[in-house]
């Protein structure tokens, strides 16, 4: 796979989620995406939060170096940053920003 060399502005835009966003207000699985940030619109709990393949430094339910997020309530107004490929909410609503 050839790497694309981004300009500084393109790189910053991607890191800020300017590749789009997803509003999730239910328990529908979101997968196959490159998620760079998640903002909680109301208190939320994940039943699944999967770090992007090959990245073991981000919080999530698998391939992570910390505790599972399965029973953690993320409060309204908080934004977390990282790289995830999938998530499913158990409760709450979020905006997931794509990179």
């Amino acid at each position: 796979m050839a790497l694309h060399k981004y300009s500084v502005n393109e790189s910053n835009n991607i890191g800020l989620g300017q590749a789009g966003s997803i509003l999730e207000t239910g328990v529908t699985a979101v997968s196959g995406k490159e998620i760079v940030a998640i903002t909680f619109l109301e208190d939320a709990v994940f039943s699944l939060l999967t770090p992007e393949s090959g990245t073991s430094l981000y919080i999530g339910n698998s391939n992570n170096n910390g505790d599972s997020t399965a029973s953690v309530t993320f409060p309204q107004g908080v934004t977390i940053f990282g790289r995830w490929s999938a998530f499913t909410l158990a409760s709450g609503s979020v905006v997931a920003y794509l990179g």
Side-chain angles (χ1 to χ4, degrees):
M1 174 175 154
L3 294 176
H4 177 77
K5 189 167 186 157
Y6 292 103
S7 71
V8 171
N9 286 338
E10 288 173 324
S11 177
N12 287 337
N13 288 343
I14 290 170
L16 293 172
Q18 291 188 6
S21 61
I22 299 168
L23 171 65
E24 182 55 52
T25 60
V27 295
T28 303
V30 175
S31 63
K33 308 292 184 189
E34 291 183 16
I35 301 162
V36 296
I38 301 171
T39 297
F40 300 90
L41 302 178
E42 59 186 23
D43 290 358
V45 175
F46 290 102
S47 59
L48 176 70
L49 180 60
T50 306
E52 188 175 66
S53 178
T55 57
S56 60
L57 300 177
Y58 302 118
I59 61 173
N61 295 116
S62 61
N63 300 325
N64 60 316
N65 290 330
D67 294 335
S68 171
T69 59
S71 62
V72 175
T73 299
F74 290 87
Q76 177 182 4
V78 167
T79 299
I80 58 174
F81 299 89
R83 291 197 68 87
W84 300 275
S85 60
F87 71 88
T88 304
L89 292 173
S91 64
S93 61
V94 301
V95 174
Y97 297 93
L98 306 177

